[in-house]
Amino acid sequence: MMLLTAAAHLTMTYSRKPAEQNLMTLASALGNATVAADDFFKLKPVEVKR
């Protein structure tokens, strides 16, 4: 969650464009943060009982 927040904050802080023009940049930053978090944190599979 911190990576996602940081990506959004840095994009909106250092971009001089209005938010409407930053959507693709912000989406890319959030996507990269998601991939980084996925690679960093490995989740254990959970067994679902039925």
Side-chain angles (χ1 to χ4, degrees):
M1 187 55 106
M2 289 176 62
L3 287 173
L4 297 174
T5 304
H9 172 72
L10 290 173
T11 299
M12 297 311 292
T13 299
Y14 294 107
S15 176
R16 300 183 192 271
K17 298 178 185 175
E20 302 86 34
Q21 295 177 356
N22 271 339
L23 290 179
M24 292 308 293
T25 303
L26 185 56
S28 176
L30 292 173
N32 290 336
T34 302
V35 170
D38 186 48
D39 289 342
F40 187 76
F41 299 104
K42 296 298 179 192
L43 299 177
K44 296 178 185 176
V46 177
E47 187 177 320
V48 177
K49 296 181 182 180
R50 296 183 185 209

mmCIF file of all heavy atoms in Angstrom:
data_model
loop_
_atom_site.group_PDB
_atom_site.id
_atom_site.type_symbol
_atom_site.label_atom_id
_atom_site.label_comp_id
_atom_site.label_asym_id
_atom_site.label_seq_id
_atom_site.Cartn_x
_atom_site.Cartn_y
_atom_site.Cartn_z
ATOM 1 N N MET A 1 0.828 -1.183 0.000
ATOM 2 C CA MET A 1 0.000 0.000 0.000
ATOM 3 C C MET A 1 0.879 1.256 0.000
ATOM 4 O O MET A 1 0.535 2.242 -0.633
ATOM 5 C CB MET A 1 -0.917 -0.031 1.211
ATOM 6 C CG MET A 1 -1.920 1.072 1.198
ATOM 7 S SD MET A 1 -2.905 1.124 -0.274
ATOM 8 C CE MET A 1 -4.425 0.513 0.319
ATOM 9 N N MET A 2 1.991 1.184 0.697
ATOM 10 C CA MET A 2 2.879 2.347 0.736
ATOM 11 C C MET A 2 3.470 2.646 -0.631
ATOM 12 O O MET A 2 3.621 3.816 -1.003
ATOM 13 C CB MET A 2 3.993 2.138 1.761
ATOM 14 C CG MET A 2 3.499 2.204 3.191
ATOM 15 S SD MET A 2 4.774 1.835 4.406
ATOM 16 C CE MET A 2 5.942 3.126 4.100
ATOM 17 N N LEU A 3 3.799 1.599 -1.399
ATOM 18 C CA LEU A 3 4.332 1.827 -2.745
ATOM 19 C C LEU A 3 3.297 2.484 -3.639
ATOM 20 O O LEU A 3 3.622 3.368 -4.432
ATOM 21 C CB LEU A 3 4.791 0.498 -3.359
ATOM 22 C CG LEU A 3 6.067 -0.108 -2.800
ATOM 23 C CD1 LEU A 3 6.284 -1.493 -3.388
ATOM 24 C CD2 LEU A 3 7.249 0.782 -3.084
ATOM 25 N N LEU A 4 2.048 2.067 -3.528
ATOM 26 C CA LEU A 4 0.991 2.658 -4.335
ATOM 27 C C LEU A 4 0.775 4.120 -3.960
ATOM 28 O O LEU A 4 0.622 4.986 -4.828
ATOM 29 C CB LEU A 4 -0.310 1.866 -4.179
ATOM 30 C CG LEU A 4 -0.275 0.426 -4.665
ATOM 31 C CD1 LEU A 4 -1.577 -0.274 -4.321
ATOM 32 C CD2 LEU A 4 -0.020 0.374 -6.146
ATOM 33 N N THR A 5 0.771 4.398 -2.666
ATOM 34 C CA THR A 5 0.600 5.772 -2.199
ATOM 35 C C THR A 5 1.757 6.647 -2.662
ATOM 36 O O THR A 5 1.555 7.776 -3.120
ATOM 37 C CB THR A 5 0.487 5.800 -0.669
ATOM 38 O OG1 THR A 5 -0.584 4.957 -0.277
ATOM 39 C CG2 THR A 5 0.240 7.196 -0.153
ATOM 40 N N ALA A 6 2.965 6.123 -2.552
ATOM 41 C CA ALA A 6 4.140 6.883 -2.974
ATOM 42 C C ALA A 6 4.109 7.149 -4.478
ATOM 43 O O ALA A 6 4.428 8.261 -4.920
ATOM 44 C CB ALA A 6 5.414 6.130 -2.600
ATOM 45 N N ALA A 7 3.726 6.168 -5.258
ATOM 46 C CA ALA A 7 3.651 6.352 -6.708
ATOM 47 C C ALA A 7 2.646 7.434 -7.074
ATOM 48 O O ALA A 7 2.921 8.308 -7.901
ATOM 49 C CB ALA A 7 3.272 5.031 -7.386
ATOM 50 N N ALA A 8 1.484 7.409 -6.455
ATOM 51 C CA ALA A 8 0.463 8.420 -6.730
ATOM 52 C C ALA A 8 0.937 9.799 -6.258
ATOM 53 O O ALA A 8 0.781 10.792 -6.972
ATOM 54 C CB ALA A 8 -0.841 8.041 -6.046
ATOM 55 N N HIS A 9 1.522 9.852 -5.076
ATOM 56 C CA HIS A 9 1.975 11.138 -4.518
ATOM 57 C C HIS A 9 3.068 11.759 -5.385
ATOM 58 O O HIS A 9 3.017 12.950 -5.710
ATOM 59 C CB HIS A 9 2.477 10.937 -3.093
ATOM 60 C CG HIS A 9 3.119 12.149 -2.521
ATOM 61 N ND1 HIS A 9 2.397 13.262 -2.155
ATOM 62 C CD2 HIS A 9 4.420 12.446 -2.286
ATOM 63 C CE1 HIS A 9 3.231 14.187 -1.710
ATOM 64 N NE2 HIS A 9 4.464 13.715 -1.770
ATOM 65 N N LEU A 10 4.068 10.968 -5.755
ATOM 66 C CA LEU A 10 5.163 11.507 -6.552
ATOM 67 C C LEU A 10 4.689 11.951 -7.928
ATOM 68 O O LEU A 10 5.138 12.990 -8.435
ATOM 69 C CB LEU A 10 6.275 10.467 -6.679
ATOM 70 C CG LEU A 10 7.049 10.186 -5.394
ATOM 71 C CD1 LEU A 10 8.005 9.027 -5.593
ATOM 72 C CD2 LEU A 10 7.797 11.425 -4.941
ATOM 73 N N THR A 11 3.794 11.196 -8.517
ATOM 74 C CA THR A 11 3.268 11.573 -9.832
ATOM 75 C C THR A 11 2.521 12.897 -9.756
ATOM 76 O O THR A 11 2.727 13.788 -10.577
ATOM 77 C CB THR A 11 2.336 10.478 -10.377
ATOM 78 O OG1 THR A 11 3.084 9.264 -10.521
ATOM 79 C CG2 THR A 11 1.779 10.861 -11.738
ATOM 80 N N MET A 12 1.661 13.034 -8.770
ATOM 81 C CA MET A 12 0.859 14.251 -8.666
ATOM 82 C C MET A 12 1.687 15.448 -8.166
ATOM 83 O O MET A 12 1.409 16.578 -8.523
ATOM 84 C CB MET A 12 -0.337 14.016 -7.739
ATOM 85 C CG MET A 12 -1.291 12.955 -8.256
ATOM 86 S SD MET A 12 -1.794 13.141 -9.977
ATOM 87 C CE MET A 12 -2.760 14.618 -9.887
ATOM 88 N N THR A 13 2.737 15.200 -7.395
ATOM 89 C CA THR A 13 3.557 16.292 -6.859
ATOM 90 C C THR A 13 4.479 16.883 -7.918
ATOM 91 O O THR A 13 4.594 18.106 -8.041
ATOM 92 C CB THR A 13 4.408 15.800 -5.675
ATOM 93 O OG1 THR A 13 3.520 15.337 -4.658
ATOM 94 C CG2 THR A 13 5.273 16.901 -5.113
ATOM 95 N N TYR A 14 5.127 16.029 -8.701
ATOM 96 C CA TYR A 14 6.162 16.513 -9.607
ATOM 97 C C TYR A 14 5.708 16.699 -11.044
ATOM 98 O O TYR A 14 6.479 17.184 -11.863
ATOM 99 C CB TYR A 14 7.382 15.588 -9.547
ATOM 100 C CG TYR A 14 8.034 15.668 -8.192
ATOM 101 C CD1 TYR A 14 7.919 14.631 -7.280
ATOM 102 C CD2 TYR A 14 8.727 16.803 -7.806
ATOM 103 C CE1 TYR A 14 8.499 14.721 -6.026
ATOM 104 C CE2 TYR A 14 9.308 16.902 -6.551
ATOM 105 C CZ TYR A 14 9.193 15.856 -5.675
ATOM 106 O OH TYR A 14 9.765 15.956 -4.439
ATOM 107 N N SER A 15 4.504 16.355 -11.360
ATOM 108 C CA SER A 15 4.007 16.601 -12.707
ATOM 109 C C SER A 15 3.382 17.992 -12.740
ATOM 110 O O SER A 15 2.642 18.392 -11.850
ATOM 111 C CB SER A 15 2.961 15.562 -13.082
ATOM 112 O OG SER A 15 2.446 15.888 -14.356
ATOM 113 N N ARG A 16 3.670 18.722 -13.760
ATOM 114 C CA ARG A 16 3.140 20.074 -13.882
ATOM 115 C C ARG A 16 1.842 20.104 -14.688
ATOM 116 O O ARG A 16 1.295 21.169 -14.935
ATOM 117 C CB ARG A 16 4.179 20.978 -14.521
ATOM 118 C CG ARG A 16 5.450 21.048 -13.695
ATOM 119 C CD ARG A 16 6.446 22.007 -14.306
ATOM 120 N NE ARG A 16 7.758 21.857 -13.683
ATOM 121 C CZ ARG A 16 8.134 22.530 -12.606
ATOM 122 N NH1 ARG A 16 7.315 23.354 -12.039
ATOM 123 N NH2 ARG A 16 9.339 22.352 -12.115
ATOM 124 N N LYS A 17 1.363 18.945 -15.082
ATOM 125 C CA LYS A 17 0.139 18.868 -15.879
ATOM 126 C C LYS A 17 -1.071 18.704 -14.962
ATOM 127 O O LYS A 17 -0.949 18.214 -13.845
ATOM 128 C CB LYS A 17 0.208 17.667 -16.821
ATOM 129 C CG LYS A 17 1.335 17.742 -17.822
ATOM 130 C CD LYS A 17 1.353 16.501 -18.670
ATOM 131 C CE LYS A 17 2.549 16.482 -19.597
ATOM 132 N NZ LYS A 17 2.624 15.224 -20.343
ATOM 133 N N PRO A 18 -2.248 19.095 -15.456
ATOM 134 C CA PRO A 18 -3.460 18.851 -14.671
ATOM 135 C C PRO A 18 -3.751 17.354 -14.556
ATOM 136 O O PRO A 18 -3.245 16.538 -15.332
ATOM 137 C CB PRO A 18 -4.565 19.566 -15.444
ATOM 138 C CG PRO A 18 -3.974 20.040 -16.716
ATOM 139 C CD PRO A 18 -2.493 19.833 -16.675
ATOM 140 N N ALA A 19 -4.564 16.993 -13.589
ATOM 141 C CA ALA A 19 -4.849 15.582 -13.303
ATOM 142 C C ALA A 19 -5.415 14.849 -14.515
ATOM 143 O O ALA A 19 -5.096 13.682 -14.734
ATOM 144 C CB ALA A 19 -5.812 15.472 -12.128
ATOM 145 N N GLU A 20 -6.240 15.522 -15.313
ATOM 146 C CA GLU A 20 -6.838 14.856 -16.481
ATOM 147 C C GLU A 20 -5.777 14.386 -17.473
ATOM 148 O O GLU A 20 -5.946 13.377 -18.137
ATOM 149 C CB GLU A 20 -7.815 15.787 -17.216
ATOM 150 C CG GLU A 20 -8.947 16.315 -16.377
ATOM 151 C CD GLU A 20 -8.569 17.575 -15.610
ATOM 152 O OE1 GLU A 20 -7.783 18.399 -16.109
ATOM 153 O OE2 GLU A 20 -9.052 17.704 -14.477
ATOM 154 N N GLN A 21 -4.684 15.124 -17.567
ATOM 155 C CA GLN A 21 -3.619 14.766 -18.501
ATOM 156 C C GLN A 21 -2.622 13.787 -17.893
ATOM 157 O O GLN A 21 -1.761 13.266 -18.584
ATOM 158 C CB GLN A 21 -2.885 16.030 -18.959
ATOM 159 C CG GLN A 21 -3.751 16.958 -19.763
ATOM 160 C CD GLN A 21 -3.020 18.224 -20.149
ATOM 161 O OE1 GLN A 21 -1.875 18.443 -19.760
ATOM 162 N NE2 GLN A 21 -3.689 19.076 -20.916
ATOM 163 N N ASN A 22 -2.728 13.521 -16.613
ATOM 164 C CA ASN A 22 -1.803 12.623 -15.921
ATOM 165 C C ASN A 22 -2.331 11.207 -15.764
ATOM 166 O O ASN A 22 -1.668 10.381 -15.150
ATOM 167 C CB ASN A 22 -1.497 13.162 -14.526
ATOM 168 C CG ASN A 22 -0.328 14.092 -14.537
ATOM 169 O OD1 ASN A 22 0.493 14.067 -15.438
ATOM 170 N ND2 ASN A 22 -0.253 14.934 -13.536
ATOM 171 N N LEU A 23 -3.502 10.919 -16.266
ATOM 172 C CA LEU A 23 -4.115 9.616 -15.998
ATOM 173 C C LEU A 23 -3.251 8.450 -16.463
ATOM 174 O O LEU A 23 -3.068 7.478 -15.736
ATOM 175 C CB LEU A 23 -5.503 9.549 -16.613
ATOM 176 C CG LEU A 23 -6.538 10.431 -15.932
ATOM 177 C CD1 LEU A 23 -7.877 10.308 -16.638
ATOM 178 C CD2 LEU A 23 -6.677 10.084 -14.475
ATOM 179 N N MET A 24 -2.696 8.531 -17.657
ATOM 180 C CA MET A 24 -1.880 7.413 -18.158
ATOM 181 C C MET A 24 -0.559 7.304 -17.390
ATOM 182 O O MET A 24 -0.096 6.204 -17.102
ATOM 183 C CB MET A 24 -1.617 7.576 -19.656
ATOM 184 C CG MET A 24 -2.878 7.417 -20.487
ATOM 185 S SD MET A 24 -3.797 5.891 -20.142
ATOM 186 C CE MET A 24 -2.682 4.663 -20.745
ATOM 187 N N THR A 25 0.028 8.437 -17.027
ATOM 188 C CA THR A 25 1.260 8.416 -16.233
ATOM 189 C C THR A 25 0.995 7.831 -14.857
ATOM 190 O O THR A 25 1.764 7.002 -14.355
ATOM 191 C CB THR A 25 1.838 9.838 -16.096
ATOM 192 O OG1 THR A 25 2.053 10.361 -17.401
ATOM 193 C CG2 THR A 25 3.126 9.841 -15.320
ATOM 194 N N LEU A 26 -0.105 8.248 -14.253
ATOM 195 C CA LEU A 26 -0.459 7.738 -12.928
ATOM 196 C C LEU A 26 -0.780 6.246 -12.992
ATOM 197 O O LEU A 26 -0.345 5.476 -12.126
ATOM 198 C CB LEU A 26 -1.649 8.514 -12.368
ATOM 199 C CG LEU A 26 -2.081 8.184 -10.953
ATOM 200 C CD1 LEU A 26 -0.929 8.357 -9.978
ATOM 201 C CD2 LEU A 26 -3.253 9.057 -10.554
ATOM 202 N N ALA A 27 -1.498 5.820 -14.018
ATOM 203 C CA ALA A 27 -1.811 4.399 -14.177
ATOM 204 C C ALA A 27 -0.538 3.578 -14.349
ATOM 205 O O ALA A 27 -0.411 2.489 -13.779
ATOM 206 C CB ALA A 27 -2.740 4.197 -15.367
ATOM 207 N N SER A 28 0.401 4.095 -15.103
ATOM 208 C CA SER A 28 1.679 3.397 -15.295
ATOM 209 C C SER A 28 2.459 3.308 -13.984
ATOM 210 O O SER A 28 3.014 2.255 -13.654
ATOM 211 C CB SER A 28 2.504 4.121 -16.356
ATOM 212 O OG SER A 28 3.761 3.517 -16.499
ATOM 213 N N ALA A 29 2.495 4.408 -13.230
ATOM 214 C CA ALA A 29 3.205 4.403 -11.949
ATOM 215 C C ALA A 29 2.566 3.422 -10.977
ATOM 216 O O ALA A 29 3.262 2.669 -10.282
ATOM 217 C CB ALA A 29 3.218 5.809 -11.352
ATOM 218 N N LEU A 30 1.235 3.410 -10.931
ATOM 219 C CA LEU A 30 0.547 2.472 -10.038
ATOM 220 C C LEU A 30 0.761 1.028 -10.479
ATOM 221 O O LEU A 30 0.929 0.136 -9.654
ATOM 222 C CB LEU A 30 -0.941 2.811 -9.973
ATOM 223 C CG LEU A 30 -1.283 4.129 -9.291
ATOM 224 C CD1 LEU A 30 -2.766 4.424 -9.435
ATOM 225 C CD2 LEU A 30 -0.871 4.120 -7.836
ATOM 226 N N GLY A 31 0.763 0.791 -11.777
ATOM 227 C CA GLY A 31 1.023 -0.555 -12.287
ATOM 228 C C GLY A 31 2.423 -1.030 -11.932
ATOM 229 O O GLY A 31 2.617 -2.171 -11.507
ATOM 230 N N ASN A 32 3.403 -0.148 -12.095
ATOM 231 C CA ASN A 32 4.782 -0.508 -11.738
ATOM 232 C C ASN A 32 4.922 -0.759 -10.243
ATOM 233 O O ASN A 32 5.646 -1.673 -9.828
ATOM 234 C CB ASN A 32 5.742 0.595 -12.184
ATOM 235 C CG ASN A 32 5.874 0.664 -13.686
ATOM 236 O OD1 ASN A 32 5.639 -0.302 -14.397
ATOM 237 N ND2 ASN A 32 6.222 1.833 -14.184
ATOM 238 N N ALA A 33 4.242 0.024 -9.429
ATOM 239 C CA ALA A 33 4.293 -0.185 -7.979
ATOM 240 C C ALA A 33 3.650 -1.518 -7.607
ATOM 241 O O ALA A 33 4.133 -2.219 -6.716
ATOM 242 C CB ALA A 33 3.598 0.959 -7.252
ATOM 243 N N THR A 34 2.578 -1.874 -8.296
ATOM 244 C CA THR A 34 1.909 -3.156 -8.035
ATOM 245 C C THR A 34 2.822 -4.324 -8.386
ATOM 246 O O THR A 34 2.929 -5.290 -7.628
ATOM 247 C CB THR A 34 0.595 -3.243 -8.824
ATOM 248 O OG1 THR A 34 -0.232 -2.142 -8.456
ATOM 249 C CG2 THR A 34 -0.133 -4.535 -8.551
ATOM 250 N N VAL A 35 3.493 -4.233 -9.524
ATOM 251 C CA VAL A 35 4.427 -5.292 -9.936
ATOM 252 C C VAL A 35 5.584 -5.395 -8.950
ATOM 253 O O VAL A 35 5.991 -6.493 -8.555
ATOM 254 C CB VAL A 35 4.938 -5.043 -11.369
ATOM 255 C CG1 VAL A 35 6.078 -5.982 -11.720
ATOM 256 C CG2 VAL A 35 3.803 -5.209 -12.363
ATOM 257 N N ALA A 36 6.106 -4.254 -8.511
ATOM 258 C CA ALA A 36 7.204 -4.257 -7.545
ATOM 259 C C ALA A 36 6.766 -4.895 -6.228
ATOM 260 O O ALA A 36 7.500 -5.689 -5.642
ATOM 261 C CB ALA A 36 7.703 -2.839 -7.303
ATOM 262 N N ALA A 37 5.569 -4.550 -5.777
ATOM 263 C CA ALA A 37 5.071 -5.125 -4.523
ATOM 264 C C ALA A 37 4.850 -6.626 -4.676
ATOM 265 O O ALA A 37 5.136 -7.397 -3.759
ATOM 266 C CB ALA A 37 3.773 -4.439 -4.116
ATOM 267 N N ASP A 38 4.348 -7.053 -5.828
ATOM 268 C CA ASP A 38 4.107 -8.471 -6.072
ATOM 269 C C ASP A 38 5.416 -9.250 -6.062
ATOM 270 O O ASP A 38 5.484 -10.360 -5.553
ATOM 271 C CB ASP A 38 3.376 -8.654 -7.398
ATOM 272 C CG ASP A 38 2.965 -10.090 -7.626
ATOM 273 O OD1 ASP A 38 2.388 -10.699 -6.708
ATOM 274 O OD2 ASP A 38 3.222 -10.609 -8.732
ATOM 275 N N ASP A 39 6.471 -8.660 -6.617
ATOM 276 C CA ASP A 39 7.775 -9.330 -6.633
ATOM 277 C C ASP A 39 8.429 -9.321 -5.252
ATOM 278 O O ASP A 39 9.152 -10.241 -4.905
ATOM 279 C CB ASP A 39 8.707 -8.660 -7.633
ATOM 280 C CG ASP A 39 8.308 -8.923 -9.070
ATOM 281 O OD1 ASP A 39 7.530 -9.880 -9.300
ATOM 282 O OD2 ASP A 39 8.764 -8.184 -9.959
ATOM 283 N N PHE A 40 8.170 -8.291 -4.473
ATOM 284 C CA PHE A 40 8.810 -8.151 -3.170
ATOM 285 C C PHE A 40 8.162 -9.036 -2.109
ATOM 286 O O PHE A 40 8.847 -9.673 -1.316
ATOM 287 C CB PHE A 40 8.773 -6.687 -2.718
ATOM 288 C CG PHE A 40 9.551 -6.424 -1.474
ATOM 289 C CD1 PHE A 40 10.937 -6.361 -1.495
ATOM 290 C CD2 PHE A 40 8.909 -6.252 -0.265
ATOM 291 C CE1 PHE A 40 11.664 -6.116 -0.352
ATOM 292 C CE2 PHE A 40 9.628 -6.010 0.897
ATOM 293 C CZ PHE A 40 11.005 -5.948 0.849
ATOM 294 N N PHE A 41 6.835 -9.053 -2.100
ATOM 295 C CA PHE A 41 6.106 -9.816 -1.089
ATOM 296 C C PHE A 41 5.542 -11.082 -1.711
ATOM 297 O O PHE A 41 4.711 -11.014 -2.615
ATOM 298 C CB PHE A 41 4.941 -8.995 -0.509
ATOM 299 C CG PHE A 41 5.395 -7.746 0.171
ATOM 300 C CD1 PHE A 41 5.241 -6.516 -0.441
ATOM 301 C CD2 PHE A 41 5.974 -7.797 1.426
ATOM 302 C CE1 PHE A 41 5.656 -5.356 0.186
ATOM 303 C CE2 PHE A 41 6.397 -6.641 2.057
ATOM 304 C CZ PHE A 41 6.230 -5.429 1.433
ATOM 305 N N LYS A 42 5.989 -12.213 -1.242
ATOM 306 C CA LYS A 42 5.482 -13.491 -1.735
ATOM 307 C C LYS A 42 4.408 -13.993 -0.785
ATOM 308 O O LYS A 42 4.637 -14.133 0.416
ATOM 309 C CB LYS A 42 6.606 -14.528 -1.841
ATOM 310 C CG LYS A 42 7.667 -14.142 -2.844
ATOM 311 C CD LYS A 42 7.091 -14.037 -4.233
ATOM 312 C CE LYS A 42 8.158 -13.628 -5.232
ATOM 313 N NZ LYS A 42 7.608 -13.257 -6.504
ATOM 314 N N LEU A 43 3.235 -14.227 -1.318
ATOM 315 C CA LEU A 43 2.124 -14.709 -0.507
ATOM 316 C C LEU A 43 2.090 -16.230 -0.530
ATOM 317 O O LEU A 43 2.384 -16.860 -1.545
ATOM 318 C CB LEU A 43 0.800 -14.154 -1.034
ATOM 319 C CG LEU A 43 0.677 -12.641 -1.029
ATOM 320 C CD1 LEU A 43 -0.656 -12.230 -1.647
ATOM 321 C CD2 LEU A 43 0.796 -12.090 0.367
ATOM 322 N N LYS A 44 1.732 -16.799 0.587
ATOM 323 C CA LYS A 44 1.594 -18.252 0.670
ATOM 324 C C LYS A 44 0.207 -18.647 0.179
ATOM 325 O O LYS A 44 -0.772 -17.943 0.458
ATOM 326 C CB LYS A 44 1.760 -18.721 2.104
ATOM 327 C CG LYS A 44 3.112 -18.466 2.698
ATOM 328 C CD LYS A 44 3.160 -18.934 4.131
ATOM 329 C CE LYS A 44 4.480 -18.559 4.780
ATOM 330 N NZ LYS A 44 4.493 -18.922 6.195
ATOM 331 N N PRO A 45 0.110 -19.757 -0.539
ATOM 332 C CA PRO A 45 -1.219 -20.210 -0.945
ATOM 333 C C PRO A 45 -2.062 -20.592 0.269
ATOM 334 O O PRO A 45 -1.544 -21.140 1.248
ATOM 335 C CB PRO A 45 -0.970 -21.421 -1.835
ATOM 336 C CG PRO A 45 0.501 -21.680 -1.793
ATOM 337 C CD PRO A 45 1.163 -20.601 -1.021
ATOM 338 N N VAL A 46 -3.316 -20.297 0.215
ATOM 339 C CA VAL A 46 -4.234 -20.599 1.305
ATOM 340 C C VAL A 46 -5.173 -21.709 0.866
ATOM 341 O O VAL A 46 -5.743 -21.657 -0.213
ATOM 342 C CB VAL A 46 -5.055 -19.362 1.703
ATOM 343 C CG1 VAL A 46 -6.056 -19.696 2.787
ATOM 344 C CG2 VAL A 46 -4.144 -18.241 2.148
ATOM 345 N N GLU A 47 -5.290 -22.719 1.704
ATOM 346 C CA GLU A 47 -6.156 -23.833 1.383
ATOM 347 C C GLU A 47 -7.585 -23.468 1.771
ATOM 348 O O GLU A 47 -7.853 -23.058 2.899
ATOM 349 C CB GLU A 47 -5.710 -25.080 2.149
ATOM 350 C CG GLU A 47 -6.449 -26.331 1.760
ATOM 351 C CD GLU A 47 -5.915 -27.535 2.503
ATOM 352 O OE1 GLU A 47 -4.684 -27.610 2.662
ATOM 353 O OE2 GLU A 47 -6.713 -28.378 2.911
ATOM 354 N N VAL A 48 -8.492 -23.608 0.816
ATOM 355 C CA VAL A 48 -9.897 -23.277 1.068
ATOM 356 C C VAL A 48 -10.651 -24.566 1.362
ATOM 357 O O VAL A 48 -10.639 -25.491 0.559
ATOM 358 C CB VAL A 48 -10.522 -22.561 -0.149
ATOM 359 C CG1 VAL A 48 -11.985 -22.274 0.086
ATOM 360 C CG2 VAL A 48 -9.748 -21.289 -0.464
ATOM 361 N N LYS A 49 -11.269 -24.633 2.518
ATOM 362 C CA LYS A 49 -12.048 -25.819 2.885
ATOM 363 C C LYS A 49 -13.483 -25.644 2.396
ATOM 364 O O LYS A 49 -14.078 -24.600 2.586
ATOM 365 C CB LYS A 49 -12.034 -26.022 4.403
ATOM 366 C CG LYS A 49 -10.664 -26.300 4.934
ATOM 367 C CD LYS A 49 -10.683 -26.510 6.413
ATOM 368 C CE LYS A 49 -9.266 -26.750 6.914
ATOM 369 N NZ LYS A 49 -9.225 -26.951 8.353
ATOM 370 N N ARG A 50 -14.003 -26.679 1.780
ATOM 371 C CA ARG A 50 -15.383 -26.628 1.280
ATOM 372 C C ARG A 50 -16.246 -27.619 1.977
ATOM 373 O O ARG A 50 -15.941 -28.565 2.491
ATOM 374 C CB ARG A 50 -15.400 -26.908 -0.211
ATOM 375 C CG ARG A 50 -14.665 -25.821 -0.958
ATOM 376 C CD ARG A 50 -14.753 -26.081 -2.425
ATOM 377 N NE ARG A 50 -13.937 -25.076 -3.096
ATOM 378 C CZ ARG A 50 -14.172 -24.643 -4.276
ATOM 379 N NH1 ARG A 50 -15.174 -25.092 -4.963
ATOM 380 N NH2 ARG A 50 -13.409 -23.751 -4.816
#
